[in-house]
Coordinates of all heavy atoms in Angstrom, one line a residue:
M1 N 53.7 -9.4 25.4 CA 52.9 -9.6 24.3 C 51.5 -9.0 24.5 O 50.8 -9.4 25.4 CB 52.8 -11.2 24.0 CG 52.1 -11.5 22.8 SD 52.2 -13.3 22.6 CE 51.4 -13.5 21.1
K2 N 51.2 -8.2 23.6 CA 49.9 -7.5 23.7 C 48.9 -8.2 22.9 O 49.2 -8.6 21.7 CB 50.1 -6.0 23.3 CG 50.6 -5.1 24.3 CD 50.5 -3.7 23.8 CE 51.4 -2.8 24.5 NZ 51.5 -1.5 23.8
R3 N 47.9 -8.4 23.5 CA 46.8 -9.0 22.7 C 45.7 -7.9 22.5 O 45.1 -7.5 23.5 CB 46.3 -10.2 23.3 CG 45.2 -10.9 22.5 CD 44.8 -12.3 23.1 NE 45.9 -13.2 22.8 CZ 45.9 -14.5 23.3 NH1 44.9 -14.9 24.1 NH2 46.8 -15.3 23.0
L4 N 45.5 -7.6 21.3 CA 44.4 -6.6 21.1 C 43.1 -7.3 20.6 O 43.1 -7.9 19.6 CB 44.9 -5.6 20.0 CG 44.2 -4.2 20.1 CD1 45.3 -3.1 20.0 CD2 43.2 -4.1 19.0
T5 N 42.2 -7.2 21.5 CA 40.9 -7.8 21.1 C 40.0 -6.7 20.6 O 39.6 -5.8 21.3 CB 40.3 -8.5 22.3 OG1 41.2 -9.4 22.8 CG2 39.0 -9.2 21.9
S6 N 39.6 -6.8 19.4 CA 38.7 -5.9 18.9 C 37.3 -6.6 18.6 O 37.3 -7.7 18.0 CB 39.1 -5.2 17.6 OG 39.2 -6.1 16.5
T7 N 36.4 -6.0 19.1 CA 35.1 -6.6 19.0 C 34.2 -5.8 18.0 O 34.1 -4.6 18.2 CB 34.3 -6.7 20.3 OG1 35.1 -7.4 21.2 CG2 33.0 -7.4 20.2
L8 N 33.9 -6.5 17.0 CA 33.0 -5.8 16.0 C 31.5 -6.1 16.3 O 31.1 -7.2 16.3 CB 33.3 -6.2 14.6 CG 34.6 -5.8 14.0 CD1 34.8 -6.4 12.6 CD2 34.7 -4.3 13.9
A9 N 30.9 -5.0 16.7 CA 29.5 -5.2 16.9 C 28.7 -5.0 15.7 O 28.7 -3.9 15.1 CB 29.0 -4.3 18.0
L10 N 28.0 -6.0 15.3 CA 27.2 -5.8 14.1 C 25.8 -5.4 14.5 O 25.1 -6.1 15.3 CB 27.1 -7.1 13.3 CG 28.3 -7.6 12.6 CD1 28.1 -9.0 12.0 CD2 28.8 -6.6 11.6
I11 N 25.5 -4.2 14.1 CA 24.2 -3.7 14.4 C 23.2 -4.2 13.4 O 23.2 -3.8 12.2 CB 24.2 -2.2 14.6 CG1 25.2 -1.8 15.6 CG2 22.8 -1.7 14.9 CD1 25.5 -0.3 15.7
T12 N 22.3 -5.0 13.9 CA 21.3 -5.4 13.0 C 20.0 -4.6 13.2 O 19.4 -4.7 14.3 CB 20.9 -6.9 13.2 OG1 22.2 -7.6 13.1 CG2 20.0 -7.4 12.1
L13 N 19.7 -3.9 12.2 CA 18.5 -3.1 12.4 C 17.3 -4.0 12.2 O 17.2 -4.9 11.4 CB 18.4 -2.0 11.3 CG 19.4 -0.9 11.4 CD1 19.3 0.0 10.1 CD2 19.2 -0.1 12.6
A14 N 16.4 -3.8 13.2 CA 15.2 -4.7 13.1 C 14.5 -4.5 11.8 O 14.1 -3.4 11.4 CB 14.3 -4.2 14.2
A15 N 14.6 -5.5 11.0 CA 14.0 -5.5 9.7 C 12.5 -5.3 9.7 O 11.8 -6.2 10.3 CB 14.4 -6.7 8.9
S16 N 12.1 -4.3 9.2 CA 10.6 -4.1 9.2 C 10.0 -4.9 8.1 O 10.5 -4.8 6.9 CB 10.3 -2.6 9.0 OG 8.9 -2.5 8.8
S17 N 9.0 -5.7 8.4 CA 8.5 -6.5 7.4 C 7.2 -5.9 6.8 O 6.4 -6.5 6.1 CB 8.1 -7.9 7.9 OG 7.2 -7.7 9.0
A18 N 7.0 -4.6 7.1 CA 5.8 -3.9 6.6 C 5.8 -4.0 5.1 O 6.8 -3.7 4.4 CB 5.8 -2.5 7.1
A19 N 4.7 -4.3 4.6 CA 4.6 -4.5 3.1 C 4.5 -3.1 2.4 O 4.9 -3.0 1.3 CB 3.4 -5.3 2.8
F20 N 4.1 -2.1 3.2 CA 3.9 -0.8 2.6 C 4.8 0.2 3.1 O 5.3 0.1 4.3 CB 2.4 -0.4 2.7 CG 1.5 -1.4 2.2 CD1 0.6 -2.1 3.0 CD2 1.4 -1.7 0.8 CE1 -0.2 -3.1 2.5 CE2 0.6 -2.7 0.3 CZ -0.2 -3.4 1.2
A21 N 5.1 1.2 2.3 CA 6.1 2.2 2.7 C 5.6 3.0 3.9 O 6.4 3.3 4.8 CB 6.3 3.2 1.5
A22 N 4.4 3.3 4.0 CA 3.9 4.1 5.1 C 3.2 3.2 6.1 O 2.8 2.1 5.8 CB 2.8 5.1 4.6
D23 N 3.3 3.6 7.4 CA 2.6 2.8 8.4 C 1.2 3.3 8.6 O 0.7 4.3 8.1 CB 3.4 2.7 9.7 CG 3.6 4.1 10.3 OD1 2.8 5.0 10.0 OD2 4.5 4.2 11.2
F24 N 0.5 2.5 9.4 CA -0.9 2.7 9.6 C -1.3 4.1 10.0 O -2.1 4.8 9.4 CB -1.4 1.7 10.7 CG -2.9 1.7 10.8 CD1 -3.7 0.9 10.0 CD2 -3.6 2.5 11.7 CE1 -5.1 0.9 10.1 CE2 -4.9 2.5 11.8 CZ -5.7 1.7 11.0
S25 N -0.6 4.6 11.1 CA -0.9 5.9 11.6 C -0.6 7.0 10.6 O -1.3 8.1 10.6 CB -0.2 6.2 12.9 OG 1.2 6.0 12.8
T26 N 0.4 6.8 9.7 CA 0.7 7.8 8.7 C -0.5 7.8 7.6 O -0.9 8.8 7.2 CB 2.0 7.4 8.0 OG1 3.0 7.3 9.0 CG2 2.4 8.5 7.0
L27 N -0.9 6.6 7.3 CA -1.9 6.5 6.3 C -3.3 7.0 6.8 O -4.1 7.5 6.0 CB -2.0 5.0 5.8 CG -0.9 4.5 4.9 CD1 -0.9 3.0 4.9 CD2 -0.9 5.1 3.6
D28 N -3.5 6.8 8.1 CA -4.8 7.2 8.6 C -4.7 8.7 8.9 O -4.5 9.2 10.0 CB -5.0 6.4 9.9 CG -6.3 6.8 10.6 OD1 -7.2 7.4 9.9 OD2 -6.5 6.5 11.8
A29 N -4.8 9.4 7.8 CA -4.6 10.9 7.9 C -5.5 11.6 8.9 O -5.1 12.5 9.5 CB -4.8 11.5 6.5
D30 N -6.8 11.2 8.9 CA -7.7 11.8 9.9 C -7.7 11.2 11.3 O -8.5 11.7 12.1 CB -9.1 12.0 9.3 CG -9.8 10.6 9.1 OD1 -9.2 9.6 9.5 OD2 -10.9 10.6 8.5
G31 N -6.9 10.2 11.4 CA -6.8 9.6 12.8 C -8.0 8.9 13.4 O -8.1 8.9 14.6
N32 N -8.9 8.4 12.5 CA -10.1 7.8 13.1 C -9.9 6.3 13.3 O -10.9 5.6 13.6 CB -11.3 8.1 12.2 CG -11.2 7.3 10.8 OD1 -10.2 6.8 10.4 ND2 -12.4 7.2 10.2
G33 N -8.7 5.8 13.1 CA -8.4 4.4 13.5 C -8.7 3.5 12.3 O -8.7 2.3 12.5
A34 N -9.0 4.0 11.2 CA -9.2 3.2 10.0 C -8.7 3.9 8.7 O -8.7 5.2 8.7 CB -10.7 2.9 9.8
I35 N -8.3 3.2 7.8 CA -7.9 3.8 6.5 C -9.0 3.7 5.5 O -9.4 2.6 5.1 CB -6.6 3.1 6.0 CG1 -5.5 3.2 7.1 CG2 -6.1 3.6 4.7 CD1 -4.3 2.3 6.7
S36 N -9.4 4.9 5.1 CA -10.5 4.9 4.0 C -9.8 4.7 2.7 O -8.6 4.8 2.5 CB -11.2 6.3 4.1 OG -10.2 7.3 3.7
K37 N -10.6 4.5 1.7 CA -10.1 4.3 0.3 C -9.3 5.5 -0.1 O -8.3 5.4 -0.8 CB -11.3 4.0 -0.6 CG -10.9 3.0 -1.7 CD -12.1 2.4 -2.3 CE -11.7 1.2 -3.1 NZ -12.8 0.3 -3.5
Q38 N -9.9 6.6 0.3 CA -9.2 7.9 -0.1 C -7.9 8.0 0.6 O -6.9 8.5 0.0 CB -10.1 9.1 0.4 CG -9.9 10.4 -0.3 CD -10.9 11.4 0.1 OE1 -11.6 11.3 1.1 NE2 -10.9 12.5 -0.6
E39 N -7.8 7.6 1.8 CA -6.5 7.7 2.5 C -5.5 6.7 1.9 O -4.3 7.0 1.9 CB -6.7 7.4 4.0 CG -7.3 8.6 4.8 CD -7.9 8.2 6.1 OE1 -8.0 7.0 6.5 OE2 -8.1 9.2 6.9
A40 N -6.0 5.6 1.5 CA -5.2 4.5 0.9 C -4.6 4.9 -0.4 O -3.6 4.4 -0.9 CB -6.0 3.2 0.8
A41 N -5.3 5.9 -1.0 CA -4.9 6.3 -2.4 C -3.5 6.9 -2.5 O -2.9 6.9 -3.5 CB -5.9 7.4 -2.9
V42 N -2.9 7.3 -1.3 CA -1.5 7.8 -1.3 C -0.5 6.7 -1.6 O 0.6 6.9 -1.9 CB -1.2 8.6 0.0 CG1 -2.1 9.8 0.1 CG2 -1.2 7.6 1.2
D43 N -0.9 5.5 -1.4 CA 0.0 4.3 -1.6 C -0.6 3.4 -2.7 O -1.6 2.8 -2.5 CB 0.1 3.5 -0.3 CG 1.2 2.4 -0.3 OD1 1.2 1.7 -1.3 OD2 2.0 2.3 0.6
A44 N 0.1 3.4 -3.8 CA -0.4 2.7 -5.0 C -0.6 1.2 -4.7 O -1.6 0.7 -5.1 CB 0.6 2.9 -6.1
E45 N 0.3 0.6 -4.0 CA 0.2 -0.8 -3.7 C -1.0 -1.1 -2.8 O -1.7 -2.0 -3.0 CB 1.5 -1.3 -3.0 CG 2.6 -1.6 -3.9 CD 2.3 -2.8 -4.9 OE1 2.0 -3.8 -4.4 OE2 2.3 -2.6 -6.1
L46 N -1.1 -0.3 -1.8 CA -2.2 -0.4 -0.8 C -3.5 -0.2 -1.5 O -4.5 -1.0 -1.3 CB -2.0 0.5 0.4 CG -3.1 0.4 1.4 CD1 -3.1 -0.9 2.1 CD2 -2.9 1.5 2.5
S47 N -3.5 0.8 -2.3 CA -4.7 1.1 -3.1 C -5.2 -0.1 -4.0 O -6.3 -0.5 -4.0 CB -4.4 2.3 -4.0 OG -5.6 3.0 -4.2
K48 N -4.2 -0.7 -4.5 CA -4.4 -1.9 -5.4 C -5.0 -3.1 -4.7 O -5.9 -3.8 -5.2 CB -3.1 -2.3 -6.1 CG -3.2 -3.0 -7.4 CD -1.9 -3.0 -8.1 CE -0.8 -3.8 -7.5 NZ 0.5 -3.8 -8.2
H49 N -4.6 -3.2 -3.4 CA -5.0 -4.4 -2.7 C -6.1 -4.1 -1.7 O -6.5 -4.9 -0.9 CB -3.8 -5.0 -1.9 CG -2.7 -5.5 -2.8 ND1 -2.9 -6.5 -3.6 CD2 -1.5 -5.0 -3.0 CE1 -1.7 -6.7 -4.3 NE2 -0.9 -5.8 -3.9
F50 N -6.6 -2.8 -1.8 CA -7.6 -2.4 -0.8 C -8.8 -3.3 -0.6 O -9.1 -3.7 0.5 CB -8.0 -0.9 -1.1 CG -8.8 -0.3 0.0 CD1 -8.2 0.5 0.9 CD2 -10.2 -0.5 0.1 CE1 -8.9 1.2 1.9 CE2 -10.9 0.2 1.1 CZ -10.2 1.0 2.0
D51 N -9.4 -3.6 -1.7 CA -10.6 -4.4 -1.6 C -10.4 -5.8 -1.0 O -11.2 -6.4 -0.3 CB -11.3 -4.5 -3.0 CG -11.9 -3.2 -3.4 OD1 -12.2 -2.4 -2.5 OD2 -12.0 -3.0 -4.6
K52 N -9.2 -6.3 -1.3 CA -8.8 -7.7 -0.8 C -8.6 -7.6 0.7 O -8.9 -8.5 1.4 CB -7.6 -8.1 -1.6 CG -7.4 -9.6 -1.5 CD -6.3 -10.1 -2.4 CE -4.9 -9.5 -2.0 NZ -3.8 -9.8 -2.9
L53 N -7.9 -6.5 1.1 CA -7.6 -6.3 2.5 C -8.8 -6.0 3.4 O -8.9 -6.4 4.5 CB -6.5 -5.2 2.7 CG -5.2 -5.6 2.1 CD1 -4.3 -4.3 2.1 CD2 -4.5 -6.7 2.9
D54 N -9.8 -5.4 2.8 CA -11.0 -5.0 3.5 C -11.9 -6.2 3.7 O -12.9 -6.4 3.0 CB -11.7 -3.9 2.8 CG -12.9 -3.4 3.5 OD1 -13.0 -3.7 4.7 OD2 -13.8 -2.8 2.9
T55 N -11.5 -7.1 4.6 CA -12.1 -8.4 4.7 C -13.6 -8.3 5.1 O -14.4 -9.1 4.8 CB -11.3 -9.3 5.6 OG1 -11.0 -8.7 6.8 CG2 -10.1 -9.8 4.9
D56 N -13.9 -7.3 5.9 CA -15.3 -7.2 6.4 C -16.1 -6.3 5.4 O -17.3 -6.1 5.6 CB -15.4 -6.7 7.8 CG -14.9 -5.3 8.0 OD1 -14.5 -4.6 7.0 OD2 -14.9 -4.9 9.2
G57 N -15.4 -5.8 4.4 CA -16.1 -5.1 3.3 C -16.8 -3.8 3.8 O -17.8 -3.4 3.1
N58 N -16.3 -3.1 4.8 CA -17.0 -1.9 5.3 C -16.4 -0.7 4.6 O -16.7 0.5 4.9 CB -16.9 -1.8 6.8 CG -15.5 -1.5 7.3 OD1 -14.5 -1.7 6.6 ND2 -15.5 -1.0 8.6
G59 N -15.5 -0.9 3.6 CA -15.0 0.3 2.9 C -13.8 1.0 3.6 O -13.3 2.0 3.1
E60 N -13.4 0.5 4.7 CA -12.2 1.0 5.4 C -11.4 -0.1 5.9 O -11.8 -1.2 6.2 CB -12.7 1.8 6.6 CG -13.4 3.1 6.2 CD -13.5 4.1 7.4 OE1 -13.8 3.6 8.6 OE2 -13.3 5.2 7.2
L61 N -10.1 0.2 6.0 CA -9.2 -0.8 6.6 C -8.9 -0.6 8.1 O -8.4 0.5 8.4 CB -7.8 -0.8 5.9 CG -7.8 -1.2 4.4 CD1 -6.4 -1.2 3.8 CD2 -8.5 -2.6 4.2
S62 N -9.3 -1.5 8.9 CA -9.0 -1.4 10.3 C -7.5 -1.7 10.5 O -6.9 -2.2 9.5 CB -9.8 -2.4 11.1 OG -9.5 -3.7 10.8
K63 N -7.0 -1.5 11.6 CA -5.5 -1.8 11.9 C -5.3 -3.3 11.6 O -4.3 -3.7 11.1 CB -5.2 -1.4 13.3 CG -3.7 -1.4 13.4 CD -3.2 -0.5 14.6 CE -1.7 -0.4 14.5 NZ -1.2 0.7 15.4
E64 N -6.3 -4.1 12.1 CA -6.1 -5.6 11.9 C -6.1 -5.9 10.4 O -5.3 -6.8 10.0 CB -7.3 -6.3 12.6 CG -7.2 -6.3 14.1 CD -7.5 -4.9 14.7 OE1 -8.2 -4.1 14.1 OE2 -7.0 -4.6 15.8
E65 N -7.0 -5.3 9.7 CA -7.0 -5.6 8.2 C -5.7 -5.2 7.6 O -5.2 -5.9 6.7 CB -8.2 -5.0 7.6 CG -9.5 -5.6 8.0 CD -10.8 -4.8 7.6 OE1 -10.7 -3.6 7.4 OE2 -11.8 -5.4 7.5
F66 N -5.2 -4.0 8.0 CA -4.0 -3.5 7.4 C -2.8 -4.4 7.7 O -2.0 -4.6 6.8 CB -3.8 -2.1 7.9 CG -2.5 -1.4 7.4 CD1 -2.4 -1.0 6.1 CD2 -1.4 -1.3 8.2 CE1 -1.3 -0.4 5.6 CE2 -0.2 -0.8 7.7 CZ -0.2 -0.3 6.4
E67 N -2.8 -4.9 8.9 CA -1.6 -5.6 9.3 C -1.5 -7.0 8.7 O -0.5 -7.7 8.8 CB -1.6 -5.7 10.9 CG -1.0 -4.4 11.4 CD -1.1 -4.3 12.9 OE1 -1.7 -5.2 13.5 OE2 -0.6 -3.3 13.5
Q68 N -2.6 -7.5 8.2 CA -2.6 -8.8 7.6 C -1.9 -8.7 6.2 O -1.7 -9.7 5.5 CB -4.0 -9.4 7.5 CG -4.8 -8.7 6.4 CD -6.2 -9.2 6.3 OE1 -6.5 -10.2 6.8 NE2 -7.1 -8.4 5.8
A69 N -1.7 -7.5 5.8 CA -1.1 -7.3 4.4 C 0.3 -7.9 4.3 O 1.1 -7.8 5.3 CB -1.0 -5.8 4.1
Ligands
LIG1 CA1 -9.0 7.5 8.6
LIG2 CA1 -12.8 -3.2 6.9

């Protein structure tokens, strides 16, 4: 009696919970470590929430500010 054991491995892709399509480094086009309003303009959603996310009000989103999105 042959017993055939087949194991189905379900590959669960780590679900990215990023709220925006692009990630920080992509959005930070000039690579200065912050997302300016101009850089944020490529993402409509991010652009919409920019002022809210810019908690220190310096006109740019730091990585920390971006990640709280
Ligand atoms: Ca930048
Ligand atoms: Ca800021």
Side-chain angles (χ1 to χ4, degrees):
M1 189 176 179
K2 280 189 200 165
R3 183 171 286 175
L4 203 133
T5 306
S6 68
T7 305
L8 288 178
L10 292 177
I11 300 170
T12 307
L13 292 173
S16 170
S17 61
F20 305 112
D23 64 19
F24 188 89
S25 53
T26 306
L27 288 164
D28 182 18
D30 65 4
N32 72 341
I35 299 171
S36 65
K37 216 159 193 167
Q38 199 175 13
E39 287 166 343
V42 299
D43 187 313
E45 278 297 302
L46 182 58
S47 207
K48 203 161 70 180
H49 298 293
F50 191 93
D51 290 333
K52 200 172 67 187
L53 291 170
D54 182 19
T55 47
D56 66 2
N58 71 344
E60 292 195 315
L61 296 182
S62 64
K63 195 159 191 165
E64 288 72 27
E65 288 169 338
F66 179 75
E67 283 174 350
Q68 72 184 339

